Amino acid sequence: MDATPPDSHDSSATALATETPPSPRARRSRPALVVVRRDALLDLVTTSPARVVAVVAPPGYGKTTLLTQWADRLGDDVVVLTCRPGTDAGVLDGALADLLAGPPRTLLVDDVQALSDAASLDALTRLVDRLPPRWRLALASRSTLPVATARLRVHGELLEIGPDDLVLDVDEAAELLAGTGVELGLEELGDLLARTEGWPVALALAAMAVQESSRRPGASGPHPAPFTGDDRFMRDYLRTELLAGLSPRDTSLLVRTSILDELCGPLCDAVLLTWSSGADLERLAGCGVVLPVDRGGERYRCHPLLRDLLRAELHRKEPALLRALHRRAAAWYADAGVGGAAIEHAHASGDQALLAGLVLGWAQRTWAVGRVDRVRRWMAWLEEATELDTFPAVAAHAALTFALVGDPVQAERWSDLATRAVHPGTLADGSTIEGTVAYLRAIEARHGLDAMRTDAQEGWAGLSPASPFRATMRHTAGLAALLDGDEDGADVLFADAVDLAVASGAEPLAALALCERATVAAAQDRWPDVDRFVHAATDLLRDGRYDAYWSSALVHAWAARIALRAGRRGDALVHIDRALALRPLLTHALPVVSTQALVETARVLVGLGDLPTASSVIRQARDVLRRRPERGDLPDRVAAVDVLVREVAAAPLLPDTLTPAETRLLPLLSTHLTFPGIAERLGVSRNTVKTQAISAYRKLGVSSRSEAVARWELLAARGA
């Protein structure tokens, strides 16, 4: 790979140079600093059955280097043509006639973009169309080839090599840098490769920058500063090789849209207050200035280093435009339904009202799919926006966000701000500000069960019918009913919450409400329903997308419990480990579900024999209730598991007289399986199961299956 910027040309050179392959010595005498062998690419082009090879990429990707190395490999069986500006069609036709009169060879034509007049382009087209049998042709160009290639592509006669094929991999990049005397650690090399995206000329220029930096007084060695497109070496190259010759319109488009990660016609039109940007982007892509993102030619991007330079230019020359450009981008993304990008641009615009409105519209659906940290960042941006009419609603969502990430101090601070600032008003979605703050009070449950129920009702009434938060209010109302002993009423509300959550795409909330239904079913001894609800909940957490999410603690605790009841200890361990990983999020900021999750986790830990961790979890649950008392029967639930932990710790081991067959049987007694079902599972007769059960009852000192199950759950861990 030529470490000097390749693809640069002397405009005074002859229009067309016809060369025989120079000797290796002559090639090494070129002003190249470093050459990296492109053996994989050479193998591809020399073994491909395609008769025509198109090498199309922006400047600096090593097109000339590839052709040179290909010519070296072919020896005398190659002819190299280099196009120059002002090529004369007659010269081209004459040269080609002389070349084609000889034996079959491979013809390598470099710098095809230099052909501009119609006659020269016609001559090139004739060459492609009339390529004799057994000849091969390679065309290298910075811009889209000016010949029809569709027919060749359809017939399998065209091999296309683009920027993605020409970038350097990590080994090639290390070789290039080492050839310049720069050696980087693997992490530093990876960072540089990511910044340059393997662009060969950028890596070469970065090496030069590192060398220059290391020669400065006081430098201790080659430590690469972050290499950007605004670096002096890179800036000069981009301006002369990529941007030179662009029209003022094109330059303005690139500079002003440098605020965008991706470019498309409608977005650029909206940001620039213009039209036909799509056609401009297509033309710029054809010249190699922007890179296509999709195969349809609708979306483009700038190379990150080019974008660095363009953004620096925008900040230097038109800083007053930045806010307006970002505001227009935010509006376009909002209309397109791309909330994250809209919010990022609204923040960059400095328009707090616009930012607040977008955050209110997108916060719930964003954290509902597990992106809580993103919402947390949004809320931090709005911390000083207390003068906004919508601030109470923003503060309510901020309080919930910090509660979800286990930061009760910040959650309470934002909650107090929301409560103090509440005033009559209506948000853009039709929800009232009072209803939104009531929604927060309900899930915080700071003031006891009655207030929780009242706040849930006020939140339900004040939220827009289209608001996704209404599902949370149904869940919260169900919790109030459950803690007040109304299991049937709670189940109806939880079922409603599941339906609403699924409809609004809030899968974590739907999974949580399903586990609340499992809690009710377990209290009513409906274990088949428990299994069904918990399996549905874990299905919603598929692929681990929500494993770090607060509500998943209760789901994994319940999944561990039913796995343990079914004798699947390994599955129980997997789920309980995931539940324990979420303990830091289970605080008094969201006291009810946090306590439920801790209780179920401790119960499973007892069954698994981890009494020290179970005791620690119960202490955490007691601490939550100490900060949030008067939560219905939650204190009784915590006390019951606390007693269970103490009883198991004091209980004797399982009787040594239990046979292996009886030990296999006991976990299955806690499932929904009947004796015939257990017999089928174990591969024995029903009478054998009955005999083993009676024997186990006697040894455990119980007289029924339910007593045996209770005794087993109490003592199994001690006998493990």
Side-chain angles (χ1 to χ4, degrees):
M1 180 91 290
D2 205 346
T4 56
D7 299 337
S8 56
H9 313 290
D10 182 356
S11 60
S12 64
T14 57
L16 178 66
T18 302
E19 308 167 9
T20 56
S23 67
R25 179 179 300 275
R27 288 198 183 280
R28 284 195 294 270
S29 69
R30 297 174 66 201
L33 298 179
V34 178
V35 173
V36 174
R37 293 292 302 175
R38 308 306 304 271
D39 290 327
L41 277 175
L42 290 172
D43 291 341
L44 175 63
V45 297
T46 55
T47 61
S48 171
R51 299 176 64 224
V52 178
V53 178
V55 186
V56 180
Y61 275 87
K63 302 179 293 296
T64 298
T65 300
L66 177 62
L67 296 191
T68 301
Q69 293 183 9
W70 190 358
D72 283 342
R73 180 174 289 195
L74 293 174
D76 293 335
D77 295 329
V78 66
V79 175
V80 180
L81 304 178
T82 301
C83 301
R84 303 299 187 195
T87 295
D88 178 79
V91 173
L92 181 59
D93 279 332
L96 294 177
D98 292 341
L99 292 170
L100 297 180
R105 290 180 175 182
T106 297
L107 176 59
L108 308 180
V109 183
D110 199 6
D111 291 338
V112 172
Q113 77 281 344
L115 302 178
S116 57
D117 66 280
S120 297
L121 296 178
D122 288 343
L124 183 65
T125 300
R126 286 192 295 273
L127 170 63
V128 174
D129 291 341
R130 300 173 186 176
L131 187 67
R134 299 172 57 198
W135 276 78
R136 297 190 72 200
L137 172 66
L139 303 174
S141 176
R142 293 185 176 190
S143 56
T144 303
L145 289 176
V147 295
T149 55
R151 178 179 54 81
L152 295 170
R153 187 181 295 117
V154 168
H155 291 286
E157 296 183 328
L158 177 67
L159 173 64
E160 297 174 273
I161 295 176
D164 291 343
D165 306 299
L166 292 165
V167 296
L168 300 185
D169 62 24
V170 64
D171 293 329
E172 292 168 332
E175 181 182 348
L176 185 152
L177 295 173
T180 67
V182 174
E183 294 188 10
L184 303 180
L186 190 59
E187 183 176 351
E188 293 173 329
L189 177 60
D191 289 343
L192 181 58
L193 200 61
R195 284 179 177 273
T196 60
E197 294 186 348
W199 191 4
V201 73
L203 286 163
L205 292 171
M208 295 177 188
V210 172
Q211 287 178 318
E212 181 188 69
S213 177
S214 66
R215 291 193 295 267
R216 292 173 183 168
S220 59
H223 299 287
F227 185 71
T228 71
D230 202 36
D231 177 271
R232 177 169 61 87
F233 293 156
M234 196 72 230
R235 180 173 65 242
D236 290 347
Y237 182 81
L238 290 170
R239 284 176 172 169
T240 57
E241 296 294 327
L242 202 62
L243 301 178
L246 293 183
S247 68
R249 174 186 172 89
D250 288 341
T251 302
S252 177
L253 182 151
L254 292 169
V255 169
R256 293 181 178 182
T257 61
S258 64
I259 65 167
L260 305 171
D261 294 331
E262 282 191 5
L263 310 174
C264 69
L267 172 57
C268 292
D269 284 343
V271 170
L272 302 175
L273 301 180
T274 186
W275 56 88
S276 74
S277 296
D280 294 336
L281 291 172
E282 184 176 1
R283 178 169 40 76
L284 289 169
C287 298
V289 178
V290 298
L291 305 173
V293 173
D294 60 356
R295 295 180 62 85
E298 299 291 331
R299 295 159 48 225
Y300 305 88
R301 69 179 179 91
C302 289
H303 189 285
L305 295 175
L306 174 59
R307 189 178 173 205
D308 287 343
L309 172 63
L310 296 171
R311 281 188 295 196
E313 290 288 304
L314 179 60
H315 281 267
R316 277 193 291 262
K317 296 182 177 179
E318 297 183 299
L321 275 180
L322 278 166
R323 289 177 178 268
L325 295 173
H326 281 293
R327 192 180 301 111
R328 295 168 196 162
W332 188 89
Y333 275 118
D335 289 342
V338 186
I343 289 170
E344 295 287 337
H345 283 289
H347 173 58
S349 77
D351 188 331
Q352 293 283 64
L354 175 62
L355 175 62
L358 290 169
V359 168
L360 285 173
W362 284 90
Q364 189 277 340
R365 68 186 91 177
T366 302
W367 66 252
V369 295
R371 296 175 179 173
V372 180
D373 287 342
R374 176 180 290 188
V375 179
R376 187 177 185 176
R377 185 174 74 252
W378 295 346
M379 296 306 176
W381 292 342
L382 288 166
E383 192 162 355
E384 303 301 324
T386 55
E387 74 285 354
L388 295 177
D389 289 340
T390 57
F391 181 76
V394 171
H397 290 301
L400 174 60
T401 300
F402 283 105
L404 290 171
V405 297
D407 190 342
V409 174
Q410 286 293 328
E412 289 184 0
R413 185 175 73 84
W414 279 97
S415 177
D416 291 342
L417 288 172
T419 302
R420 288 199 299 268
V422 67
H423 59 79
T426 303
L427 302 175
D429 71 342
S431 299
T432 66
I433 291 177
E434 303 98 308
T436 303
V437 175
Y439 149 83
L440 172 65
R441 292 197 306 265
I443 57 180
E444 285 183 321
R446 283 199 193 187
H447 305 294
L449 205 57
D450 290 340
M452 178 182 175
R453 183 184 296 105
T454 300
D455 288 333
Q457 292 170 348
E458 183 180 345
W460 173 264
L463 293 171
S464 163
S467 171
F469 301 115
R470 283 165 67 88
T472 305
M473 290 299 88
R474 274 296 184 254
H475 170 253
T476 306
L479 287 176
L482 178 64
L483 299 183
D484 205 24
D486 183 6
E487 293 174 352
D488 291 337
D491 195 42
V492 171
L493 290 165
F494 291 143
D496 196 12
V498 171
D499 292 340
L500 289 169
V502 169
S504 64
E507 291 182 335
L509 178 59
L512 178 61
L514 283 164
C515 286
E516 301 291 5
R517 298 201 71 188
T519 300
V520 173
Q524 297 175 347
D525 203 28
R526 296 186 286 111
W527 288 100
D529 286 340
V530 174
D531 290 347
R532 178 166 58 87
F533 293 143
V534 174
H535 284 135
T538 54
D539 283 346
L540 290 172
L541 305 188
R542 59 192 176 278
D543 302 326
R545 286 185 296 165
Y546 307 117
D547 278 350
Y549 202 70
W550 164 83
S551 60
S552 297
L554 182 61
V555 178
H556 285 303
W558 262 111
R561 184 173 176 184
I562 66 167
L564 190 61
R565 280 179 56 85
R568 294 183 282 107
R569 184 181 177 88
D571 290 344
L573 287 169
V574 169
H575 284 292
I576 208 62
D577 283 346
R578 292 173 180 169
L580 288 170
L582 297 173
R583 277 183 68 186
L585 308 185
L586 304 177
T587 72
H588 62 276
L590 298 169
V592 178
V593 174
S594 293
T595 304
Q596 287 180 309
L598 292 167
V599 165
E600 293 303 331
T601 298
R603 191 193 307 276
V604 173
L605 288 166
V606 172
L608 291 170
D610 189 351
L611 298 183
T613 305
S615 297
S616 173
V617 170
I618 283 299
R619 285 196 298 273
Q620 183 177 347
R622 287 202 304 266
D623 183 64
V624 171
L625 291 182
R626 178 179 60 81
R627 294 169 180 268
R628 294 289 185 268
E630 300 180 20
R631 298 299 174 275
D633 68 355
L634 269 184
D636 295 338
R637 295 170 188 248
V638 173
V641 178
D642 195 6
V643 169
L644 178 64
V645 173
R646 297 175 189 276
E647 286 183 353
V648 170
L653 297 176
L654 282 171
D656 293 334
T657 54
L658 280 174
T659 66
E662 291 164 354
T663 303
R664 286 195 299 271
L665 169 68
L666 284 169
L668 297 177
L669 294 177
S670 64
T671 70
H672 65 281
L673 294 173
T674 62
F675 276 2
I678 293 174
E680 183 178 352
R681 172 77 64 88
L682 295 176
V684 298
S685 69
R686 176 181 179 181
N687 287 336
T688 298
V689 169
K690 185 174 181 180
T691 299
Q692 292 172 352
I694 292 173
S695 175
Y697 295 172
R698 176 176 52 78
K699 294 174 183 178
L700 291 172
V702 299
S703 59
S704 68
R705 179 172 177 171
S706 60
E707 290 176 348
V709 169
R711 186 68 172 166
W712 171 256
E713 290 184 343
L714 184 66
L715 301 179
R718 302 290 290 169

